[in-house]
Amino acid sequence: MKILETPQAFREWREEQAKLVGFVASRRVGFVPTMGALHEGHASLLKRARAQSDVVVLSIFVNPAQFNDPNDFQKYPKTWEQDLEIARREGVDAIFAPRAPDMYPDGYKYKVTENEVSTVLCGASRPGHFDGVLSVVMKLFQIVQPTKAYFGEKDYQQLSLIRGMVDAFFLPLEIVPVETMREADGLAMSSRNRRLTPEQRAQAPRIYQIIVKASSSDEARRQLEAEGFKVDYVLDRENRRFVAVFMGEVRLIDNVELQ
Ligand code: AMP
C-alpha cells in the first residue's frame, strides 16, 4: 500500500500505474475521499470500490476549508494507525494524505460555489461549508482522476451537491452512492461519535429512532427537544427526512427515506 503526501507525488504514482498496462483507460480507479478517523461506514465504501475497480485510492484529508467552527476542526478525531489498518484490510492500493498548504497553493482564492442546495439544511447553519467541500472534492478529482468515486448517503446533501457539480462541469467520472452504515442500535456511524461522552452515546440512537417513527418533521423535532436534544433542523425534503442536532458541542446529522 502506497502512501503519497503531495499532489505531485500522487500524480507520478498515477502515471506509473497507467504505464503498467499501457494506457489509462484500461485501469478502473475507484476513489473514496475521507477525513480519516475511519469506521465501518468508510469501510463499506472501500469494499464497494474494491469490488468495482482495479486500483483503489483512499484520501485522508481533514479539509480546513469546510470547517466553519475552528474548535470543531481542532477537535476532529485523528486515528492514523488505525486508519492504515482498515485501509490495508480493505485492500486499498494507495492513500493520498496531503497537507493543507499543498492542497491550497492559491490560499483558497479559487473555489467552487453552488447557490441553491448549498444554502439549506447544513448549508444554512454552516456558512461556507459546502464551498469548502465542493472545492476540495474538485481538487481531489483532478489529482486522483478516478473512474468512479464513492460517497455515503449519510451525508446526503453533500452527495447531491457533488453529483450536481459532476454534471455541471462535465467531470468524466461516475458518482456511486453507498447506503448509511449504522451501529446495532441504529446510530449512524460517524467519526464524530468518538467525541460523545458515554451518556451522550447512550442517548444518541434516539435521533434515528425518532426520525424514523415520527409522523411529521414537526413531531420529530418536538420529541427530540422533549428528550433534551438541541435541534438544529428537522426537515422533510424530496421524500427524505433530514436531521441535525447538537449533543454538547458535537453536531450529529442523519437522514432517512420516508415510506
Ligand atoms: P467523512 O470522513 O466523514 O468526510 O466521510 C467520508 C465518506 O464516508 C463520505 O462520503 C461519507 O458520506 C461517508 N460516510 C461517513 N459515514 C458513513 C456511514 N455511516 N455510512 C456510509 N457512509 C458514510
Side-chain angles (χ1 to χ4, degrees):
M1 188 170 69
K2 254 334 227 191
I3 299 172
L4 300 138
E5 295 188 343
T6 63
Q8 178 63 22
F10 188 88
R11 286 200 149 155
E12 281 164 17
W13 177 81
R14 180 80 172 73
E15 273 162 31
E16 276 167 34
Q17 293 301 301
K19 274 187 219 137
L20 286 179
V21 285
F23 58 101
V24 181
S26 63
R27 299 286 268 185
R28 295 168 304 165
V29 178
F31 178 41
V32 178
T34 77
M35 299 203 298
L38 301 186
H39 50 65
E40 291 307 308
H42 298 115
S44 74
L45 272 62
L46 291 170
K47 283 190 172 73
R48 194 71 63 86
R50 186 68 278 172
Q52 301 182 342
S53 325
D54 301 304
V55 178
V56 174
V57 177
L58 164 71
S59 68
I60 297 181
F61 179 56
V62 185
N63 173 31
Q66 74 188 67
F67 284 83
N68 50 310
D69 172 0
N71 185 46
D72 188 30
F73 177 60
Q74 287 301 327
K75 293 199 173 157
Y76 200 83
K78 287 164 198 74
T79 58
W80 178 250
E81 292 302 325
Q82 208 180 313
D83 292 355
L84 292 185
E85 241 170 70
I86 293 178
R88 271 197 206 100
R89 186 190 82 196
E90 300 302 338
V92 168
D93 295 293
I95 301 182
F96 178 50
R99 284 168 226 286
D102 292 323
M103 287 300 277
Y104 292 97
D106 62 326
Y108 196 37
K109 285 199 291 275
Y110 290 86
K111 54 181 83 165
V112 180
T113 301
E114 193 273 357
N115 288 317
E116 205 177 289
V117 179
S118 69
T119 62
V120 298
L121 301 171
C122 286
S125 38
R126 301 186 69 189
H129 168 67
F130 286 116
D131 284 5
V133 170
L134 292 177
S135 300
V136 82
V137 169
M138 176 67 102
K139 286 166 188 268
L140 290 167
F141 284 171
Q142 300 306 321
I143 297 163
V144 175
Q145 298 182 33
T147 322
K148 296 188 186 194
Y150 298 78
F151 289 86
E153 289 184 345
K154 155 82 174 20
D155 301 281
Y156 201 88
Q157 189 178 10
Q158 168 175 288
L159 167 66
S160 308
L161 280 160
I162 288 166
R163 283 186 147 150
M165 178 176 80
V166 165
D167 290 347
F169 292 103
F170 306 99
L171 302 182
L173 76 152
E174 186 187 328
I175 300 300
V176 182
V178 180
E179 55 285 357
T180 303
M181 288 283 286
R182 299 181 179 282
E183 304 287 355
D185 55 19
L187 175 65
M189 290 181 183
S190 165
S191 304
R192 289 189 172 86
N193 293 349
R194 295 170 200 264
R195 293 183 55 204
L196 300 175
T197 64
E199 293 73 31
Q200 288 169 335
R201 173 63 189 83
Q203 201 198 0
R206 292 295 294 147
I207 302 165
Y208 173 68
Q209 292 160 11
I210 288 172
I211 62 165
V212 167
K213 287 222 177 108
S215 55
S216 67
S217 56
D218 285 348
E219 175 58 18
R221 172 185 276 272
R222 200 191 57 69
Q223 289 182 19
L224 285 162
E225 286 176 346
E227 295 191 16
F229 288 96
K230 188 177 157 215
V231 176
D232 181 357
Y233 62 75
V234 188
L235 278 170
D236 293 353
R237 264 178 72 102
E238 291 165 18
N239 208 36
R240 295 192 88 84
R241 179 165 294 159
F242 295 85
V243 64
V245 302
F246 283 96
M247 299 195 80
E249 55 182 25
V250 182
R251 188 169 177 282
L252 298 178
I253 61 170
D254 201 350
N255 70 89
V256 292
E257 195 170 4
L258 293 172
Q259 294 313 312

